Amino acid sequence: MTVGDQRRGRGRPKGTGRIDPNAIVDTALDALARGGYPALTMRGVARTMGVSLTTLQHHFPTKDALWRAAIDAMTSTAIRSRSHLDPADLSGHISAILDQGRTRPGLLASLLTDRSAGSSERIAYLADRFAGGLAQPIDRFSELEADHVIRPVDRNALLALITIGVGSIASAAGAVRAIYGFDLDDPDDRQALAAGLSEIIGLGVLER
């Protein structure tokens, strides 16, 4: 054992002090997908990344700061992945949600079903981040209604169905494959499921 090892002490991870904050956020998202907020710990993230807790805290001083950064990254990615799509393109939106959801299958479910201490504040933070990205689609829905492309519907209910409903399907990839035969890791299967879901949803909102 070297002197450096003795100074680190048992169980303390090695670290150079250099670390990409984006990599920290990715590790935090992985932890959240595995077990929600309780599974996210500063020491656990530091251990996974092989850095010291001090190095981690240099970028994110507290668990809540890291959690917020993870949520910001997740929502920004979700909004960006669909920003180029017209709200009328249901298949495109659904396909994008399925594609994103398969990377961390348990993430959305763990965030939406969080009941640990402080969960109401965290849900409010999550909602606030998504609200910014929903402003443009909601405005576009008004235009589509005015142009008689879609009939008047409860837009929030429709968005909840698309984002949370489809997100939940993506979170249950194993069951979807075993029970319904759609392999969400297969691009063709994802597209087929997206097309089927968009047709079903579209029958309820499109003008005839």
Side-chain angles (χ1 to χ4, degrees):
M1 177 181 293
T2 67
V3 173
D5 289 332
Q6 290 174 333
R7 287 177 179 172
R8 271 194 298 272
R10 174 181 290 184
R12 182 173 297 181
K14 299 177 182 179
T16 63
R18 290 186 167 191
I19 187 171
D20 181 1
N22 292 325
I24 300 175
V25 168
D26 282 343
T27 303
L29 286 169
D30 288 341
L32 289 169
R34 286 194 304 271
Y37 187 77
L40 175 62
T41 68
M42 297 292 282
R43 291 188 183 279
V45 170
R47 188 179 305 112
T48 298
M49 301 196 71
V51 300
S52 69
L53 181 59
T54 301
T55 296
L56 182 64
Q57 290 173 324
H58 173 74
H59 297 280
F60 302 101
T62 66
K63 172 178 173 174
D64 282 341
L66 178 54
W67 181 88
R68 287 192 296 272
I71 296 305
D72 290 348
M74 183 198 75
T75 53
S76 294
T77 299
I79 292 167
R80 187 169 57 252
S81 70
R82 302 197 294 276
S83 62
H84 66 288
L85 297 172
D86 191 295
D89 182 9
L90 291 177
S91 180
H93 281 277
I94 291 171
S95 182
I97 294 170
L98 291 174
D99 187 48
Q100 185 181 14
R102 72 189 177 86
T103 59
R104 291 188 177 93
L107 181 57
L108 184 62
S110 71
L111 294 174
L112 296 178
T113 59
D114 181 10
R115 293 188 178 181
S116 58
S119 60
S120 58
E121 290 82 2
R122 289 191 292 276
I123 290 291
Y125 187 89
L126 178 64
D128 181 67
R129 289 300 176 270
F130 267 116
L134 294 178
Q136 183 178 0
I138 288 176
D139 289 343
R140 181 64 176 129
F141 276 133
S142 297
E143 297 174 6
L144 293 172
E145 288 178 6
D147 292 339
H148 302 289
V149 176
I150 66 173
R151 66 182 180 82
V153 296
D154 185 324
R155 296 161 210 165
N156 285 326
L158 177 59
L159 289 169
L161 171 61
I162 294 173
T163 56
I164 297 177
V166 175
S168 297
I169 291 173
S171 296
V176 171
R177 180 173 55 252
I179 300 173
Y180 306 109
F182 291 103
D183 183 357
L184 297 185
D185 287 327
D186 184 295
D188 291 335
D189 273 16
R190 283 201 309 276
Q191 188 57 47
L193 178 57
L197 291 173
S198 64
E199 181 180 11
I200 293 167
I201 295 171
L203 289 174
V205 299
L206 297 176
E207 283 283 9
R208 295 297 177 186

